[in-house]
Amino acid sequence: AQSVTQLGSHVSVSEGALVLLRCNYSSSVPPYLFWYVQYPNQGLQLLLKYTSAATLVKGINGFEAEFKKSETSFHLTKPSAHMSDAAEYFCAVSPSGSARQLTFGSGTQLTVLP
Amino acid sequence: EPEVTQTPSHQVTQMGQEVILRCVPISNHLYFYWYRQILGQKVEFLVSFYNNEISEKSEIFDDQFSVERPDGSNFTLKIRSTKLEDSAMYFCASSSPDAEELFFGEGSRLTVL
């Protein structure tokens, strides 16, 4: 079975500071990994995905994530936080080459302080 | 930009009642999904649907649940006899056949009293 663990249910950063949201995965097969964002009163939106190509993946809104097999991690980063980044972020894993059956982490609520 | 739409946004029902949650997937998508998130818990996969039949389902998706594509645009989730523990946010999603990305709706919040 595959799973992801998100460390920190709540993260607060100051505007302009580095954003680091942690995700570790467990998988018996090469995983496909995803980060989704949920803004208040909206659906889940794909930020980026890792599908065994480049280990550093760039997504929308200046976010990127690096797949590190040795650490079984797929942490999400952004160099400089913006107020509009405040949202809930979900890491997810899929056993196949598609997003068809995602297993989500428990989510990290990001607060950006002025 | 095309989007997945869900209705209702919030439904309150009495335990034992039937509930139908509706979704309009993106028009050229062929795969449809339901996920749910119980308050404070993870988003969980319920079911995927393709070519008018269920392609995958989780152990959560028991006989109380059913899905249907009654016409060319809607995709529905029916809960036959709701229980308190069915209270959750239900997300519909759709994708193209390669399923490289799932497009989610805004969710339907179900409250069972």
Side-chain angles (χ1 to χ4, degrees), chain B residues 16 24-25 35 42 50 61 94-95 100-101:
Chain B
V24 179
Y35 283 77
K42 297 181 181 185
Y50 171 72
F61 194 87
S94 68
S95 74
E100 285 215 345
E101 179 177 353

Side-chain angles (χ1 to χ4, degrees), chain A:
Chain A
Q2 298 191 313
S3 66
V4 288
T5 302
Q6 291 184 242
L7 298 174
S9 58
H10 290 84
V11 170
S12 292
V13 299
S14 298
E15 192 174 17
L18 171 72
V19 175
L20 171 61
L21 305 181
R22 300 177 187 274
C23 173
N24 288 89
Y25 69 89
S26 172
S27 176
S28 56
V29 298
Y32 280 58
L33 294 158
F34 306 81
W35 275 100
Y36 278 83
V37 60
Q38 185 179 25
Y39 298 104
N41 300 316
Q42 295 188 27
L44 297 162
Q45 180 183 1
L46 181 67
L47 270 180
L48 51 79
K49 61 188 176 190
Y50 166 75
T51 57
S52 76
T55 56
L56 181 63
V57 182
K58 294 188 184 297
I60 62 171
N61 301 339
F63 284 93
E64 62 183 38
E66 186 172 7
F67 174 74
K68 291 188 177 180
K69 185 177 178 181
S70 61
E71 298 177 7
T72 61
S73 69
F74 190 58
H75 301 330
L76 182 70
T77 60
K78 182 174 181 178
S80 176
H82 192 272
M83 298 296 288
S84 61
D85 295 326
E88 186 145 25
Y89 292 79
F90 295 92
C91 183
V93 63
S94 170
S96 64
S98 74
R100 212 160 277 145
Q101 189 166 343
L102 295 169
T103 299
F104 283 88
S106 52
T108 298
Q109 182 68 46
L110 175 66
T111 300
V112 182
L113 305 170

